[in-house]
Amino acid sequence: MSRGLLTGALAVVLMAGTGACGGGGAGSGGGKELTFWMYQDRTPQAGQVIEKVRKDFEQANPGVTVKLVKIPKDDYNTKLGSAVASKSAPDAGILDQPLVSKYALDGTIKEVPAGLIDEADYYKGALDTNRANGKLYGLPQDQTTVALFYNKKLVPTPPKTWDELKAAAERVHAADANVAGMNVPKGDGYGAWMFPGVVHGAGGQMVDDAAKKVLFDQPPAVEALQLWVDLLKSSPRKITDSDKPFENGLAAMTISGPWDVPTIHEQFPDLDFGVAPLPYKSEPAGNIGGEDSVVFSTSKNPDLAWKWLAFLANATNNGAIADAFGGFPVHLKAQVVAGGPEQAAFLEQLKVAHARPAVPQWIQVNDEIIAPAIESALTGKATAQQALTDAAAKTRTLLGWNG
């Protein structure tokens, strides 16, 4: 099939899917039809996985048809927002973690029915990404995180603590002034996303959303940001601002996720590197990303929708589903699709991962307040304390919190 024909055919499929996008109802044969929105398949193999699980669910539930509507990820939130606004949302769908609290608090999605799952079967951090106001509003489907990548030639033993991290970076840079100890994260949205994992590693947290208190101007967060500032002494930006400093052997360590592992192996086959959990000050901790799944308030088949989501997330299916979505399982008993030796570090990190604050405006806080505060400290325009005090004040104003 030519690319043009393929594109045309794909458009027809998507239009057909989105044209009938609202919550399902009676199927053509008198049974129930469930509509589920998800991202477009990452790979043909991923599509085969979801198709098999769909057929297994239908076979286990005679008379039920699951209609999968696959939407390009870049367009997904926009289309979903339009569907929600026009009250034509699907029965259920995938939802990016930060959107769960927003949709939960404005009544767009339903609370998880009591008894649907045993919460003890799931990674706590992944499950917590579905909470708002202390209630559970969705089920996780896959998760991911970041960890410490280290050049084994320059750092034979990965550091476990902040002190060991700083010492390792100092040794590397002292041995060769042209090599940085660490590719220190920057003050952008990505760096701000990673930052809470470091704060938790000092025993802190970004906010207490139940008490409506901003906490990232307190000592644990200030110490976390000061750690990054201190690392710059042995990790000059004039080195790490080069192209792919870690991959090219110009930075001994960096923080990244599993998505970079295959690329490094493919493009830099001579780089002997390992992956280890993030160093911490007082307790192991990390951040988390991934996809959740929710049932929309306009669903005509909420019970069936929850049954489908639980089927995707159960011990039998979640390993393959999570891999198809591009992450790691969220069910503790799900089989992890075999990966490289780096996989163990990410799985260990996910055991201590913390969900982002259940604050609807958190993406805005992350990108527009915390990120520039980090950059302000890293560039010396403010101390870590000054930068975070100012950011906390802005956040309190935005959220209308006094604490």
Side-chain angles (χ1 to χ4, degrees), residues 243-266:
D243 183 45
K244 298 183 182 302
F246 176 74
E247 292 86 340
N248 285 310
L250 296 177
M253 296 175 282
T254 193
I255 299 174
S256 192
W259 50 85
D260 268 341
V261 172
T263 304
I264 295 175
H265 280 309
E266 178 182 343

Side-chain angles (χ1 to χ4, degrees), residues 163-209:
D163 287 343
E164 292 177 2
L165 174 64
K166 287 192 285 189
E170 289 169 2
R171 278 196 300 271
V172 167
H173 191 56
D176 187 340
N178 295 314
V179 177
M182 173 88 181
N183 185 19
V184 180
K186 293 187 175 180
D188 51 19
Y190 186 49
W193 172 64
M194 292 190 283
F195 183 62
V198 186
V199 175
H200 283 286
Q205 54 183 333
M206 300 299 283
V207 304
D208 180 345
D209 51 271

